[in-house]
Amino acid sequence: MEYISSLTLSHFRSHKISKLLLDGRPVVVFGKNGTGKTNILEAVSLFSPGRGLRRATASDITRKPEAIGWKIEGKVKNRISEYEVSICSTNGESRSLFLDGKKASIMKLGQILRIVWLVPSMDRIWIEGTSGRRQFLDRLTLSYFPEHAEVSLAYEKAMRERNRLLKEKIHNDHWYNALEIEMAKNAVSIQKARIKAIKYLSEAQSHLTEKFPKAELLLIDPDQIIITNEEEAVEALKESRRSDMILGRTSVGPHKSDLQAVYADKSTLAKDCSTGEQKALLISIILANAKSLAKISDISPIVLLDEVSAHLDVERQAALYNEICKLGVQAWMTGTGPELFSDLRNRAQFIEVSTIDGVSALSLSN
Ligand SMILES: Nc1ncnc2c1ncn2[C@@H]1O[C@H](COP(=O)(O)OP(=O)(O)O)[C@@H](O)[C@H]1O
Ligand SMILES: [Mg+2]
């Protein structure tokens, strides 16, 4: 299994210098509000390509008021080897990665670790606009297919260029053709990867404990069927060129897709479920994600669960902890007090976070 065996945060938000030594067991991070627990999980989330769990920029993260930049150093262990990972940002520049001391592309992180998370702000994704659900689906997809990050970036880059032409009312067929071919190629990869990810999630959910409800997931599109064929995608873009020019942006493609979820036992759309049920659906999906990743990929995932336990009754807490221990993944869980995790007493590492002179301080608490 893969796990983080050491983690050092330097000038990372509320942390000036915080160091942790860990084994592969789950990690419980507890402490009062505002002490810096989520900040730790955010740091771990940056061990994967793409935006971290707060979707923050590098300059948001740098510790204020000093604002001298920040660094995360970690060791990632697996059965055969150990990697030294260092991620840093200076002068507000986007983050750089050093692997075993050598500069590397951030995309490389996807080959070392798979990280999935659940944070309180995601509780609202079922009732809010499509972008939150799409981001959630893409994060899940990325965990199965690390190349999804690069493909999505390539798609967005070509689309931005096309949107610029549309806005400036430029009529240059060659230019559009080239961009649309590039977009179509990546659009098809994006949709195929999303559909496959949904399939993996569905399969894995059927093996979950009955304490968590099954979510039926479906990739949908507001006004057309999902295109998974390159020629059709090229055609659709070409056809919409004229109307897109009036809009000044691209109106078809994977950037419009939505994730539909149905609470299976009740045949109710997630958006119509109670808040508790919506949360339970998210947990089911994340557990299914971790479960199928552990099975499908040869990299076991790291699961970040921010403030999840507080919303569960004791029975569901126990079910969650049992699933996590059964999976044998390094799950990082936060909560305000250790009593939320008493059931994990001997099965996890407990870390207490407090604030001393305005700076986060960590102590091992076993
Ligand atoms: N860039 C930053 N520099 C210094 N402190 C920060 C920065 N960003 C956030 N913080 C502080 O971090 C604290 C919140 O940390 P967080 O991890 O969210 O707390 P919690 O323990 O409740 O999860 C707040 O006190 C906030 O002011
Ligand atoms: Mg928090």
Side-chain angles (χ1 to χ4, degrees), residues 265-334:
D265 287 344
K266 296 186 168 188
S267 301
T268 306
L269 281 171
K271 74 172 174 56
D272 299 323
C273 287
S274 76
T275 347
E277 288 170 337
Q278 289 171 344
K279 182 96 185 176
L281 287 173
L282 284 174
I283 298 174
S284 293
I285 295 169
I286 285 295
L287 285 177
N289 184 207
K291 194 161 199 161
S292 59
L293 269 174
K295 207 172 95 185
I296 295 162
S297 91
D298 43 4
I299 302 177
S300 53
I302 288 189
V303 183
L304 309 177
L305 301 174
D306 194 21
E307 304 285 350
V308 165
S309 306
H311 301 274
L312 303 176
D313 56 47
V314 178
E315 252 178 58
R316 275 209 173 132
Q317 272 180 15
L320 172 66
Y321 301 154
N322 284 340
E323 282 292 321
I324 283 170
C325 293
K326 227 164 60 190
L327 280 170
V329 296
Q330 193 183 49
W332 295 61
M333 289 168 276
T334 65

Side-chain angles (χ1 to χ4, degrees), residues 34 37-39 54 120 306-307 334:
K37 304 180 294 296
T38 305
N39 293 343
R54 281 200 175 101
D306 194 21
E307 304 285 350
T334 65

Side-chain angles (χ1 to χ4, degrees), residues 124-128 133 136 259 261 270-271 278 282 285:
R124 301 178 55 80
I125 64 167
W126 304 123
I127 52 171
E128 289 181 342
R133 289 187 291 277
F136 179 50
L259 173 68
K271 74 172 174 56
Q278 289 171 344
L282 284 174
I285 295 169

Side-chain angles (χ1 to χ4, degrees), residues 134-157:
R134 208 163 41 238
Q135 279 160 20
F136 179 50
L137 175 60
D138 281 330
R139 180 42 66 181
L140 294 163
T141 307
L142 178 65
S143 73
Y144 296 109
F145 310 107
E147 63 279 10
H148 188 65
E150 272 165 302
V151 173
S152 302
L153 279 180
Y155 174 79
E156 277 158 27
K157 188 167 170 244

Side-chain angles (χ1 to χ4, degrees), residues 188-232:
V188 166
S189 304
I190 289 171
Q191 300 298 44
K192 282 189 173 163
R194 285 172 174 171
I195 290 167
K196 237 186 196 159
I198 287 176
K199 187 168 157 268
Y200 288 150
L201 291 167
S202 305
E203 285 166 4
Q205 279 191 82
S206 59
H207 303 293
L208 272 187
T209 153
E210 70 280 4
K211 287 273 180 292
F212 290 100
K214 281 185 194 66
E216 271 164 22
L217 302 173
L218 189 65
L219 182 65
I220 57 167
D221 193 287
D223 41 31
Q224 49 150 51
I225 48 154
I226 300 292
I227 298 176
T228 53
N229 169 299
E230 213 167 307
E231 282 97 68
E232 281 174 32

